[in-house]
Amino acid sequence: MVMIPRLVIAAPASGSGKTTVATGLMAAFAQRGLAVSPHKVGPDYIDPGYHSLATGRAGRNLDAYMCGPELIAPLFAHGARGCDLAIVEGVMGLYDGASGQGELASTAHVAKLLRAPVVLVVDASSQSRSVAALVHGFASWDPEVRISGVILNKVGSDRHEMLLRDALDESGVPVMGVLRRAEQVATPSRHLGLVPVAERRGDAMAAVAAMGAQVAGGCDLEALMRLARSAPGTPVAAEAWDPVAAVGPVRVGGARGGPAPLPAPSLDRGSAPDPGPRSPDGPESTPGWAASPQGVAPVVAVAGGPAFTFSYAEHSELLAAAGADVVTFDPLRDEALPEGTRGLVIGGGFPEVYAPELSANEPLRKAVADLAATGAPVAAECAGLLYLSRSLDGLPMCGVLDAEGRMSERLTLGYREAVAITDSPLAAAGTRLRGHEFHRTVLEPGAGAAPAWGMHLPERRVEGFVQQGIHASYLHTHWASAPGIARRFVEWAAG
């Protein structure tokens, strides 16, 4: 059973102050010497960066759509192992989940799966007595969701606070904090939300410190800790998720024997498709590709730095569990791939913001293209897809894919259901996964002769590129839902 004290920080709607309050609570409790485990409901990559800065621990996502409800408690337990307190920041409004799928992947859904008390953050800037009706409505909507406290945000004055408190006295939900408007805790945003921590570390540290100070001064931390400790053990048989157990037996590195890697499992938990023979574009048939020395862990390079900040912590953990030597590099600064690189993972981020710098790093662009030409496995998501293209907003990129990218005014955002169309280092053809898209760019063409995915939702289309060892797509996936991805990728890298 998971007995970690925990709180879910939710709100009636986006923009109410969840990130400020959640990050501030993390920082305030960490400042008191507690080990705080930070979590974020949904697929967002940016907020966990601020959580990590506040706590000194990896920010982790809890996404019931991509990973399935049954993995939420185990992933939570994995992240919170050894901590004194876990704080889970919600997504959108409390009851907002995957479109057309009821409560699935909503903050309320995750709170129920964790049996965690909910603290509702309310933007009180334009209301007084009406706040009681709002809180009552949210607290009574679903009796299984335990709304146990309110934090009032953007309160204008002592008089305003008195009116709000008087109204909420009738609701039965206690006020656990009051925060006044504060410019110093504002964080800059752009086309995909907050500016990531990696791009403004000094300013971000100051903002997180200000959030912690504001929350410590305006919230009853003792009452919030008592509430967190009131959370019971979860109803799920929640052995903590373990990347080694998830990956299973591997043949890489010589230390752990086992069968050949299986394809990533189907999301419907049924039988996985037969992997069949490797793609003819796999390493066995690609000139220049040779197996790594027996007993040596293949180096898998993972792009990081300000341009590539979108990654789930579990991905690197799974790669390491599958036998890889995971090494991070920064495409903005490093002119060569890590020594001995045999596989490359380029996640999401903001290449459009850093296109001039990425383009100017010609030695690294050539190194990436040369590696891809050998048939080495290359997994690229969104920003990685753009980086592999011929050009981005007219600036040369790696030229691995015969496609061109550009910024767009249209935001592409949402969950997706997908099936692998072509055998690749990530999955066998026929493998079903869930993921999400999150970008304001367009790639033309959007799919190659061998597409990566066939999308089922929200509309039917093919998307992405598979060629030689490359799997490149706009689709973000969470590998904890399909750990065979990491096993298959590392086996491919080992040759």
Side-chain angles (χ1 to χ4, degrees):
M1 301 289 280
V2 180
M3 301 304 292
I4 181 83
R6 55 199 180 275
L7 295 171
V8 171
I9 308 302
S14 296
S16 300
K18 290 190 306 293
T19 300
T20 296
V21 172
T23 306
L25 284 172
M26 293 171 192
F29 281 115
Q31 187 66 30
R32 291 187 164 202
L34 298 182
V36 181
S37 180
H39 303 264
K40 170 70 179 179
V41 177
D44 176 62
Y45 293 102
I46 298 175
D47 291 348
Y50 287 86
H51 298 170
S52 181
L53 204 59
T55 64
R57 298 176 65 91
R60 294 180 184 270
N61 294 72
L62 299 172
D63 193 301
Y65 182 88
M66 289 197 294
C67 294
E70 69 278 7
L71 270 183
I72 296 303
L75 286 170
F76 171 83
H78 170 65
R81 184 188 282 113
C83 288
D84 304 306
L85 171 67
I87 295 176
V88 181
E89 180 187 344
V91 61
M92 299 185 293
L94 173 60
Y95 296 108
D96 300 326
S99 179
Q101 311 241 0
E103 72 173 4
L104 178 63
S106 67
T107 303
H109 187 204
V110 170
K112 290 197 286 187
L113 291 169
L114 297 178
R115 294 182 66 185
V118 175
V119 176
L120 197 67
V121 178
V122 177
D123 179 352
S125 59
S126 299
Q127 58 185 314
S128 57
R129 190 164 181 265
S130 295
V131 72
L134 184 151
V135 171
H136 172 75
F138 272 81
S140 61
W141 177 261
D142 185 343
E144 294 182 54
V145 177
R146 181 184 162 205
I147 297 181
S148 302
V150 176
I151 293 176
L152 299 169
N153 192 28
K154 300 180 183 177
V155 175
S157 65
D158 291 344
R159 168 71 175 165
H160 188 199
E161 178 181 342
M162 183 188 71
L163 293 171
L164 294 166
R165 286 184 177 275
D166 286 348
L168 285 167
D169 280 345
E170 305 173 25
S171 73
V173 181
V175 175
M176 293 190 165
V178 176
L179 304 180
R180 301 295 173 90
R181 299 184 184 95
E183 291 294 329
Q184 68 268 29
V185 302
T187 53
S189 299
R190 59 169 178 238
H191 56 280
L192 293 183
L194 298 180
V195 176
V197 164
E199 299 185 39
R200 54 183 300 266
R201 190 167 185 85
D203 291 341
M205 289 177 68
V208 168
M211 293 178 201
Q214 186 189 25
V215 166
C219 294
D220 187 341
L221 297 184
E222 286 73 20
L224 287 162
M225 191 66 198
R226 285 194 300 272
L227 178 59
R229 288 177 175 146
S230 73
T234 68
V236 182
E239 287 289 329
W241 180 83
D242 177 11
V244 173
V247 166
V250 298
R251 297 186 302 167
V252 173
R256 300 172 62 206
L262 300 174
S266 170
L267 195 75
D268 63 11
R269 311 301 183 233
S271 299
D274 182 359
R278 265 197 183 168
S279 166
D281 285 332
E284 289 96 333
S285 61
T286 304
W289 183 254
S292 60
Q294 188 170 3
V296 176
V299 173
V300 173
V302 177
F308 297 97
T309 55
F310 291 6
S311 179
Y312 298 124
E314 292 81 4
H315 289 198
S316 290
E317 292 172 345
L318 284 164
L319 287 168
D325 178 10
V326 181
V327 181
T328 302
F329 72 103
D330 184 352
L332 292 179
R333 300 174 58 182
D334 297 324
E335 294 188 344
L337 292 169
E339 185 176 355
T341 293
R342 296 187 59 82
L344 177 60
V345 177
I346 315 173
F350 290 96
E352 63 271 24
V353 175
Y354 293 97
E357 294 90 338
L358 291 169
S359 185
N361 192 349
E362 188 174 351
L364 184 64
R365 290 194 288 113
K366 183 178 185 304
V368 170
D370 288 347
L371 179 72
T374 69
V378 178
E381 287 186 353
C382 199
L385 167 72
L386 296 168
Y387 186 53
L388 294 182
S389 70
R390 260 199 328 267
S391 67
L392 176 56
D393 286 336
L395 295 170
M397 292 291 121
C398 295
V400 173
L401 303 175
D402 188 16
E404 297 185 352
R406 58 178 173 81
M407 282 290 291
S408 168
E409 294 184 0
R410 178 173 176 264
L411 175 63
T412 300
L413 171 68
Y415 285 127
R416 305 288 186 259
E417 291 189 7
V419 60
I421 298 296
T422 311
D423 278 354
S424 77
L426 292 193
T431 300
R432 295 181 180 276
L433 283 176
R434 284 178 168 178
H436 70 98
E437 286 188 87
F438 183 43
H439 57 91
R440 277 193 192 271
T441 58
V442 173
L443 193 71
E444 296 174 342
W453 302 110
M455 301 290 192
H456 292 276
L457 288 176
E459 71 278 335
R460 290 184 175 271
R461 59 187 169 94
V462 294
E463 190 269 340
F465 300 76
V466 174
Q467 61 188 54
Q468 295 180 294
I470 300 163
H471 184 287
S473 164
Y474 267 122
L475 187 70
H476 294 287
T477 57
H478 198 302
W479 293 4
S481 70
I485 287 177
R487 186 169 64 245
R488 185 179 176 96
F489 187 89
V490 175
E491 286 279 351
W492 196 295

